[in-house]
Amino acid sequence: MADDSIAIIGLGAYYPGARGPRQLWENVLTRRREFRRIPPQRLSAEYLKSSPGDPDTTYATRAAVIDGFIFDWAARRVPRTTFDSTDIVHWLALEVALEALSDAGHSRETIPADRTGVIVGNTLTGEIMRSHALRLRWPFFRRALSTALEAHGMSNAEIEAIASTTETTFKSVLAAPTEDSLAGGLSNTIAGRICTALGAHGGGYTVDGACASSLLAVATAANALQRGDLDLALAGGVDVSIDPFELVTFSRTGAIATGDMHVYDKRANGFIAGEGCGFVVLQRLADARAAGRRIYAVLRGWGVSSDGRGGITAPPTVTGKHLP
């Protein structure tokens, strides 16, 4: 009987307090916590002035955030305009995916290009695009501003002067739309960007399973390898979304923990937000052994399901097992 097991032959990671898989594992072993007060650059104090019934604020004060990520667009031969018009999750995913591939002993020149695919787990792209989208709402903001100023008795000339100054200030921190803005603001192009960098023709796409997105990506890639659709797969997930849209709306559902987070515990009362990116390189176990690849772990079974009872916010459940 054929062995359908899947080998993990490469790892890449960029998480809060962990620049790579080794540091992440060291943090796990030492039980190091990375939750801290949300930096004001990520969430201004105005959103934290919460009062009962206020729909525009959040009670979330802590999160696990990444620091220091810099994408060298010049070294990666990415035009500066493309870099500026693209959400940071694209570049974080690309960098981590390339590191995972290198860890597996592969490069653009050595992969089986026609048989290599990329599956990425992501929801809502990232917070930078939500911020940049504000620029395109300027006409609405201008009308609201003009109406308010007119109600206070200002003349048309005064309103025009204030609106002009406000527009300059408002747009100064938001990238102007370019030919790259559409692709740079979509989550479904993250995988395609990695495929382009690798010259991989086996297909690349994004899967969205909410909190289970990265695991869903791994299960999807494992199925493709098992069916023989691919010979090599990069699978992972990326999320940078600690902004008002998620924190405020999650607060409305009561999903954010009011104290410490207790996972799989009867004391559980929500989660504390976090961000980061992780990738694995997958290959059929027999092929990995034949090629003499280093094998981190073996996937011998996996599955995706939903109990159909958890409500609309319940994500798919991804399960698996690792046997010696």
Side-chain angles (χ1 to χ4, degrees):
M1 183 176 179
D3 188 350
D4 291 330
S5 300
I6 303 299
I8 299 176
I9 63 172
L11 298 173
Y14 200 121
Y15 290 105
R19 181 58 188 85
R22 180 181 294 275
Q23 191 173 8
L24 177 63
W25 185 236
E26 290 173 352
N27 289 349
V28 171
L29 294 179
T30 57
R31 300 183 180 183
R32 182 178 179 180
R33 296 186 180 186
E34 292 297 334
F35 299 117
R36 56 190 170 99
R37 188 166 186 83
I38 302 174
Q41 298 90 338
R42 302 293 297 278
L43 189 74
S44 62
E46 289 84 352
Y47 290 102
L48 299 176
K49 296 177 182 178
S50 184
S51 60
D54 188 340
D56 300 312
T57 58
T58 177
Y59 56 88
T61 59
R62 292 183 295 161
V65 299
I66 58 177
D67 291 310
F69 174 72
I70 298 176
F71 181 74
D72 192 342
W73 53 270
R76 293 296 185 192
R77 304 179 67 83
V78 174
R80 180 57 188 265
T81 55
T82 301
F83 171 73
D84 288 339
S85 300
T86 302
D87 195 279
I88 194 65
V89 297
H90 284 246
W91 309 125
L92 181 59
L94 175 59
E95 198 68 25
V96 174
L98 292 177
E99 290 177 1
L101 191 68
S102 176
D103 184 63
H106 271 298
S107 66
R108 177 188 173 100
E109 290 72 31
T110 64
I111 63 170
D114 291 338
R115 306 280 295 168
T116 298
V118 179
I119 299 96
V120 180
N122 175 261
T123 299
L124 296 174
T125 314
E127 63 188 48
I128 289 180
M129 279 302 106
R130 291 198 284 273
S131 175
H132 284 180
L134 289 174
R135 183 186 177 104
L136 301 179
R137 299 297 184 185
W138 168 249
F140 171 77
F141 293 150
R142 182 189 174 95
R143 289 195 299 271
L145 176 63
S146 297
T147 300
L149 295 177
E150 184 178 3
H152 282 272
M154 289 191 176
S155 66
N156 288 338
E158 290 174 318
I159 292 175
E160 179 60 32
I162 293 174
S164 178
T165 301
T166 303
E167 180 177 5
T168 299
T169 304
F170 182 83
K171 291 183 176 180
S172 66
V173 295
L174 304 171
T178 70
E179 65 273 17
D180 298 301
S181 296
L182 180 60
L186 299 174
S187 67
N188 56 31
T189 53
I190 301 173
R193 197 174 298 279
I194 299 171
C195 288
T196 298
L198 296 177
H201 306 146
Y205 52 93
T206 300
V207 295
D208 182 356
C211 299
S213 294
S214 57
L215 294 176
L216 184 61
V218 171
T220 303
N223 285 334
L225 289 165
Q226 195 176 70
R227 291 192 305 266
D229 296 338
L230 298 174
D231 289 338
L232 192 72
L234 285 84
V238 61
D239 183 72
V240 179
S241 295
I242 300 176
D243 70 346
F245 177 76
E246 294 209 5
L247 294 181
V248 170
T249 53
F250 269 127
S251 293
R252 301 285 71 77
T253 67
I256 296 179
T258 55
D260 288 339
M261 184 169 63
H262 302 282
V263 182
Y264 305 122
D265 192 290
K266 65 181 180 180
R267 297 171 295 169
N269 67 344
F271 72 94
I272 301 176
E275 61 189 7
C277 180
F279 269 86
V280 293
V281 180
L282 305 176
Q283 189 175 26
R284 285 182 292 273
L285 178 60
D287 295 341
R289 285 173 171 167
R293 299 293 176 187
R294 174 182 53 192
I295 298 174
Y296 285 105
V298 177
L299 302 178
R300 300 190 187 277
W302 54 90
V304 179
S305 69
S306 175
D307 62 11
R309 296 177 295 138
I312 194 65
T313 59
T317 301
V318 183
T319 59
K321 58 184 178 179
H322 173 213
L323 303 177

PDB file of all heavy atoms in Angstrom, residues 246-263:
ATOM      1  N   GLU A 246     -10.713  45.750  13.224  1.00  0.00           N
ATOM      2  CA  GLU A 246     -10.838  44.453  13.881  1.00  0.00           C
ATOM      3  C   GLU A 246     -11.028  44.580  15.386  1.00  0.00           C
ATOM      4  O   GLU A 246     -11.851  43.891  15.975  1.00  0.00           O
ATOM      5  CB  GLU A 246      -9.618  43.587  13.552  1.00  0.00           C
ATOM      6  CG  GLU A 246      -9.546  43.221  12.078  1.00  0.00           C
ATOM      7  CD  GLU A 246      -8.849  41.908  11.826  1.00  0.00           C
ATOM      8  OE1 GLU A 246      -8.494  41.217  12.798  1.00  0.00           O
ATOM      9  OE2 GLU A 246      -8.665  41.555  10.656  1.00  0.00           O
ATOM     10  N   LEU A 247     -10.264  45.458  16.032  1.00  0.00           N
ATOM     11  CA  LEU A 247     -10.361  45.541  17.483  1.00  0.00           C
ATOM     12  C   LEU A 247     -11.707  46.096  17.943  1.00  0.00           C
ATOM     13  O   LEU A 247     -12.288  45.607  18.916  1.00  0.00           O
ATOM     14  CB  LEU A 247      -9.217  46.398  18.024  1.00  0.00           C
ATOM     15  CG  LEU A 247      -7.813  45.810  17.853  1.00  0.00           C
ATOM     16  CD1 LEU A 247      -6.773  46.752  18.447  1.00  0.00           C
ATOM     17  CD2 LEU A 247      -7.704  44.433  18.506  1.00  0.00           C
ATOM     18  N   VAL A 248     -12.203  47.112  17.255  1.00  0.00           N
ATOM     19  CA  VAL A 248     -13.491  47.690  17.636  1.00  0.00           C
ATOM     20  C   VAL A 248     -14.628  46.714  17.367  1.00  0.00           C
ATOM     21  O   VAL A 248     -15.502  46.494  18.214  1.00  0.00           O
ATOM     22  CB  VAL A 248     -13.732  49.028  16.902  1.00  0.00           C
ATOM     23  CG1 VAL A 248     -15.170  49.503  17.112  1.00  0.00           C
ATOM     24  CG2 VAL A 248     -12.759  50.089  17.395  1.00  0.00           C
ATOM     25  N   THR A 249     -14.604  46.101  16.176  1.00  0.00           N
ATOM     26  CA  THR A 249     -15.706  45.195  15.845  1.00  0.00           C
ATOM     27  C   THR A 249     -15.660  43.907  16.661  1.00  0.00           C
ATOM     28  O   THR A 249     -16.715  43.375  17.047  1.00  0.00           O
ATOM     29  CB  THR A 249     -15.695  44.864  14.339  1.00  0.00           C
ATOM     30  OG1 THR A 249     -14.394  44.381  13.952  1.00  0.00           O
ATOM     31  CG2 THR A 249     -16.018  46.092  13.513  1.00  0.00           C
ATOM     32  N   PHE A 250     -14.463  43.399  16.949  1.00  0.00           N
ATOM     33  CA  PHE A 250     -14.378  42.226  17.829  1.00  0.00           C
ATOM     34  C   PHE A 250     -14.853  42.576  19.239  1.00  0.00           C
ATOM     35  O   PHE A 250     -15.422  41.735  19.937  1.00  0.00           O
ATOM     36  CB  PHE A 250     -12.949  41.684  17.880  1.00  0.00           C
ATOM     37  CG  PHE A 250     -12.663  40.623  16.850  1.00  0.00           C
ATOM     38  CD1 PHE A 250     -11.582  40.749  15.988  1.00  0.00           C
ATOM     39  CD2 PHE A 250     -13.455  39.495  16.748  1.00  0.00           C
ATOM     40  CE1 PHE A 250     -11.312  39.776  15.039  1.00  0.00           C
ATOM     41  CE2 PHE A 250     -13.199  38.511  15.805  1.00  0.00           C
ATOM     42  CZ  PHE A 250     -12.120  38.658  14.949  1.00  0.00           C
ATOM     43  N   SER A 251     -14.601  43.811  19.661  1.00  0.00           N
ATOM     44  CA  SER A 251     -15.080  44.235  20.981  1.00  0.00           C
ATOM     45  C   SER A 251     -16.599  44.229  21.045  1.00  0.00           C
ATOM     46  O   SER A 251     -17.198  43.945  22.086  1.00  0.00           O
ATOM     47  CB  SER A 251     -14.557  45.634  21.308  1.00  0.00           C
ATOM     48  OG  SER A 251     -13.156  45.626  21.476  1.00  0.00           O
ATOM     49  N   ARG A 252     -17.239  44.544  19.911  1.00  0.00           N
ATOM     50  CA  ARG A 252     -18.701  44.550  19.893  1.00  0.00           C
ATOM     51  C   ARG A 252     -19.272  43.145  20.077  1.00  0.00           C
ATOM     52  O   ARG A 252     -20.401  42.976  20.531  1.00  0.00           O
ATOM     53  CB  ARG A 252     -19.219  45.158  18.576  1.00  0.00           C
ATOM     54  CG  ARG A 252     -18.772  46.590  18.306  1.00  0.00           C
ATOM     55  CD  ARG A 252     -19.497  47.628  19.157  1.00  0.00           C
ATOM     56  NE  ARG A 252     -19.132  47.632  20.562  1.00  0.00           N
ATOM     57  CZ  ARG A 252     -18.004  48.170  21.055  1.00  0.00           C
ATOM     58  NH1 ARG A 252     -17.116  48.721  20.256  1.00  0.00           N
ATOM     59  NH2 ARG A 252     -17.761  48.150  22.344  1.00  0.00           N
ATOM     60  N   THR A 253     -18.512  42.143  19.677  1.00  0.00           N
ATOM     61  CA  THR A 253     -18.982  40.759  19.835  1.00  0.00           C
ATOM     62  C   THR A 253     -18.560  40.160  21.170  1.00  0.00           C
ATOM     63  O   THR A 253     -18.969  39.040  21.494  1.00  0.00           O
ATOM     64  CB  THR A 253     -18.435  39.859  18.703  1.00  0.00           C
ATOM     65  OG1 THR A 253     -17.006  39.729  18.841  1.00  0.00           O
ATOM     66  CG2 THR A 253     -18.753  40.443  17.338  1.00  0.00           C
ATOM     67  N   GLY A 254     -17.728  40.884  21.917  1.00  0.00           N
ATOM     68  CA  GLY A 254     -17.237  40.356  23.188  1.00  0.00           C
ATOM     69  C   GLY A 254     -16.185  39.288  23.020  1.00  0.00           C
ATOM     70  O   GLY A 254     -15.914  38.522  23.951  1.00  0.00           O
ATOM     71  N   ALA A 255     -15.551  39.242  21.838  1.00  0.00           N
ATOM     72  CA  ALA A 255     -14.600  38.175  21.558  1.00  0.00           C
ATOM     73  C   ALA A 255     -13.213  38.424  22.141  1.00  0.00           C
ATOM     74  O   ALA A 255     -12.408  37.498  22.252  1.00  0.00           O
ATOM     75  CB  ALA A 255     -14.471  37.984  20.044  1.00  0.00           C
ATOM     76  N   ILE A 256     -12.900  39.660  22.492  1.00  0.00           N
ATOM     77  CA  ILE A 256     -11.577  39.976  23.030  1.00  0.00           C
ATOM     78  C   ILE A 256     -11.567  39.759  24.532  1.00  0.00           C
ATOM     79  O   ILE A 256     -12.493  40.176  25.246  1.00  0.00           O
ATOM     80  CB  ILE A 256     -11.191  41.430  22.689  1.00  0.00           C
ATOM     81  CG1 ILE A 256     -11.074  41.581  21.172  1.00  0.00           C
ATOM     82  CG2 ILE A 256      -9.890  41.819  23.365  1.00  0.00           C
ATOM     83  CD1 ILE A 256     -10.728  42.970  20.716  1.00  0.00           C
ATOM     84  N   ALA A 257     -10.518  39.109  25.013  1.00  0.00           N
ATOM     85  CA  ALA A 257     -10.418  38.786  26.436  1.00  0.00           C
ATOM     86  C   ALA A 257     -10.357  40.054  27.275  1.00  0.00           C
ATOM     87  O   ALA A 257      -9.737  41.048  26.900  1.00  0.00           O
ATOM     88  CB  ALA A 257      -9.184  37.930  26.695  1.00  0.00           C
ATOM     89  N   THR A 258     -11.005  40.026  28.421  1.00  0.00           N
ATOM     90  CA  THR A 258     -10.982  41.160  29.337  1.00  0.00           C
ATOM     91  C   THR A 258      -9.789  41.101  30.283  1.00  0.00           C
ATOM     92  O   THR A 258      -9.464  42.088  30.939  1.00  0.00           O
ATOM     93  CB  THR A 258     -12.278  41.216  30.157  1.00  0.00           C
ATOM     94  OG1 THR A 258     -12.461  39.954  30.830  1.00  0.00           O
ATOM     95  CG2 THR A 258     -13.473  41.474  29.253  1.00  0.00           C
ATOM     96  N   GLY A 259      -9.146  39.938  30.361  1.00  0.00           N
ATOM     97  CA  GLY A 259      -7.953  39.769  31.192  1.00  0.00           C
ATOM     98  C   GLY A 259      -6.953  38.913  30.444  1.00  0.00           C
ATOM     99  O   GLY A 259      -6.738  39.097  29.252  1.00  0.00           O
ATOM    100  N   ASP A 260      -6.323  37.981  31.131  1.00  0.00           N
ATOM    101  CA  ASP A 260      -5.412  37.056  30.469  1.00  0.00           C
ATOM    102  C   ASP A 260      -6.185  36.103  29.571  1.00  0.00           C
ATOM    103  O   ASP A 260      -7.365  35.821  29.800  1.00  0.00           O
ATOM    104  CB  ASP A 260      -4.621  36.247  31.507  1.00  0.00           C
ATOM    105  CG  ASP A 260      -3.573  37.090  32.217  1.00  0.00           C
ATOM    106  OD1 ASP A 260      -3.180  38.141  31.651  1.00  0.00           O
ATOM    107  OD2 ASP A 260      -3.164  36.724  33.327  1.00  0.00           O
ATOM    108  N   MET A 261      -5.510  35.600  28.567  1.00  0.00           N
ATOM    109  CA  MET A 261      -6.135  34.663  27.632  1.00  0.00           C
ATOM    110  C   MET A 261      -5.894  33.235  28.121  1.00  0.00           C
ATOM    111  O   MET A 261      -4.760  32.850  28.412  1.00  0.00           O
ATOM    112  CB  MET A 261      -5.544  34.861  26.225  1.00  0.00           C
ATOM    113  CG  MET A 261      -6.204  33.998  25.162  1.00  0.00           C
ATOM    114  SD  MET A 261      -5.703  34.481  23.476  1.00  0.00           S
ATOM    115  CE  MET A 261      -3.939  34.147  23.528  1.00  0.00           C
ATOM    116  N   HIS A 262      -6.955  32.456  28.198  1.00  0.00           N
ATOM    117  CA  HIS A 262      -6.868  31.066  28.641  1.00  0.00           C
ATOM    118  C   HIS A 262      -7.361  30.175  27.504  1.00  0.00           C
ATOM    119  O   HIS A 262      -8.564  30.029  27.286  1.00  0.00           O
ATOM    120  CB  HIS A 262      -7.707  30.843  29.890  1.00  0.00           C
ATOM    121  CG  HIS A 262      -7.315  31.718  31.051  1.00  0.00           C
ATOM    122  ND1 HIS A 262      -6.219  31.453  31.838  1.00  0.00           N
ATOM    123  CD2 HIS A 262      -7.862  32.867  31.527  1.00  0.00           C
ATOM    124  CE1 HIS A 262      -6.109  32.390  32.770  1.00  0.00           C
ATOM    125  NE2 HIS A 262      -7.099  33.259  32.599  1.00  0.00           N
ATOM    126  N   VAL A 263      -6.409  29.589  26.776  1.00  0.00           N
ATOM    127  CA  VAL A 263      -6.740  28.777  25.603  1.00  0.00           C
ATOM    128  C   VAL A 263      -7.150  27.366  26.034  1.00  0.00           C
ATOM    129  O   VAL A 263      -6.486  26.749  26.869  1.00  0.00           O
ATOM    130  CB  VAL A 263      -5.535  28.715  24.650  1.00  0.00           C
ATOM    131  CG1 VAL A 263      -5.892  27.901  23.398  1.00  0.00           C
ATOM    132  CG2 VAL A 263      -5.093  30.123  24.256  1.00  0.00           C
TER     133      VAL A 263
END
